[in-house]
Amino acid sequence: MSYQPVADPASIEEAAALLRAGRICAFPTETVYGLGGDATDPDAVLEIFAAKGRPRFNPLIAHCADLDMARRFGRIEGLALELAERFWPGPLTLVVPLVEASGLSDIATAGLKTVALRVPARPLARDLIASVGRPLAAPSANPSGRLSPTSAEHVRAAFEGRVPVLDGGPCEAGVESTIVTVGPDGITQLRAGALPREEIEAAMGVAVAVASHDAAISAPGMLKSHYAPGAKLRLAAAAPEPGEAYLGFGRLPEGIEGEALDLSPHGDLREAARNLFGFLARLDETGCARIAVAPIPREGLGEAINDRLERAAAPRD
Ligand code: AMP
Ligand code: MG
């Protein structure tokens, strides 16, 4: 994928116009610069992954202008609501049940039924989101594997000017938000971050459990919320076997009798990525025991598609 150098927006309104048009734009929060895109627009979210060169579709945080906006997308109730009222705006991300048909792109949630939400403290960030009128997915504005950026200069240098940046000066925290979720057993921290766990405990008067690092962030299937269909998956399958549903890529084989969907008849990886979670869920809903999946090229977004399929296919209890 190649990018032309792009002009930076000179104002919040200009940045909001880019984002409303489905483009990506980096902007500062109190933690780090985020690479923002409309979290309700699958192509904008895919553009974030493509620009970052991120090899996997992990779920992204949807940044909201205020609690009201956040509640249109996530069910924030009970302890989670108390946390939001106490710590928002601020560097605390809440993982809560997704509101059905909320319009959030399933690429932003990686097909999960939960969503990570946060209202940033930085007024500039909130004004931008309010002006766009939709939540912004915004992972750190750095190419995958590089240091998180705390100034517009960092962002420009890391992307060599290929990503527009709303310059708001340096970020204070320089550390990502703390991520917690609320379950029947109370609050669990999924990722340590700018809001110390002790502060949450002191304010709420309850202990905060810590998920093991692997469980929270990386291990497929360990965290229940990691997307996994009920059906088993068989990857790199040229054609389905009897009893299998089929998820094709670039033209379905002739004579398929069972359920089949084509991620992209023309073999377009972006189209395939856009359809990935929805099509898997649709095939899964047919109640088939196994879904055979066509081979998908590994270049570009294909790497993230293959990563997600491999996680979904990994053996689990
Ligand atoms: P970022 O790249 O800054 O947007 O951070 C995203 C982080 O939030 C990743 O570590 C994700 O694993 C985590 N995350 C987002 N959504 C969820 C979710 N629904 N369940 C668990 N973790 C999540
Ligand atoms: Mg990062």
Side-chain angles (χ1 to χ4, degrees):
M1 197 148 315
S2 69
Y3 294 91
Q4 300 299 316
V6 290
D8 287 342
S11 65
I12 289 178
E13 289 68 33
E14 273 185 43
L18 282 174
L19 289 159
R20 270 197 301 268
R23 307 272 305 281
I24 58 173
C25 181
F27 67 95
T29 74
E30 75 278 22
T31 60
V32 300
Y33 271 73
L35 186 54
D38 177 352
T40 68
D41 177 345
D43 286 312
V45 180
L46 284 172
E47 192 59 31
I48 294 174
F49 284 104
K52 279 180 71 82
R54 211 181 242 197
R56 63 176 52 144
F57 292 137
N58 55 329
L60 302 177
I61 297 167
H63 294 73
C64 297
D66 52 31
L67 179 58
D68 279 351
M69 182 187 271
R71 295 188 89 176
R72 299 212 304 267
F73 298 90
R75 290 217 313 274
I76 305 176
E77 291 153 9
L79 254 188
L81 183 57
E82 285 179 44
L83 282 166
E85 283 171 341
R86 175 67 184 73
F87 289 107
W88 283 357
L92 178 69
T93 295
L94 299 175
V95 173
V96 297
L98 182 67
V99 168
E100 240 175 90
S102 67
L104 211 70
S105 155
D106 63 6
I107 300 168
T109 57
L112 301 176
K113 295 275 181 268
T114 53
V115 58
L117 295 165
R118 158 168 125 80
V119 176
R122 197 94 194 256
L124 181 77
R126 289 204 306 276
D127 290 348
L128 176 65
I129 300 162
S131 176
V132 175
R134 293 190 282 269
L136 297 178
S140 54
N142 53 315
S144 198
R146 304 264 291 268
L147 282 180
S148 291
T150 53
S151 74
E153 270 318 306
H154 287 170
V155 182
R156 289 192 195 102
F159 286 103
E160 296 170 339
R162 290 165 300 148
V163 162
V165 190
L166 178 64
D167 193 341
C171 301
E172 303 90 67
V175 179
E176 270 87 356
S177 64
T178 302
I179 305 179
V180 300
T181 189
V182 175
D185 303 330
I187 307 171
T188 301
Q189 177 178 279
L190 302 176
R191 176 177 84 182
L195 178 68
R197 184 162 55 95
E198 294 74 15
E199 251 182 70
I200 305 175
E201 294 183 323
M204 307 299 289
V206 294
V208 173
V210 180
S212 83
H213 181 73
D214 285 354
I217 311 296
S218 50
M222 279 184 72
L223 193 68
K224 271 207 288 303
S225 59
H226 261 107
Y227 178 77
K232 289 194 162 51
L233 256 59
R234 183 168 69 87
L235 304 184
E241 288 169 1
E244 285 181 337
Y246 192 64
L247 188 61
F249 175 81
R251 228 153 162 255
L252 293 174
E254 307 273 312
I256 293 187
E257 295 190 350
E259 297 285 345
L261 291 171
D262 195 341
L263 285 172
S264 171
H266 303 293
D268 173 20
L269 287 166
R270 183 166 297 242
E271 182 181 26
R274 216 188 289 125
N275 289 330
L276 179 66
F277 295 108
F279 281 15
L280 271 174
R282 272 167 61 187
L283 290 178
D284 203 23
E285 279 159 17
T286 66
C288 61
R290 200 157 68 178
I291 302 169
V293 186
I296 314 252
R298 287 187 179 268
E299 78 255 14
L301 287 170
E303 197 181 352
I305 295 174
N306 277 291
D307 171 78
R308 190 47 66 177
L309 286 169
E310 279 152 20
R311 285 156 181 272
R316 41 181 197 272
D317 310 329

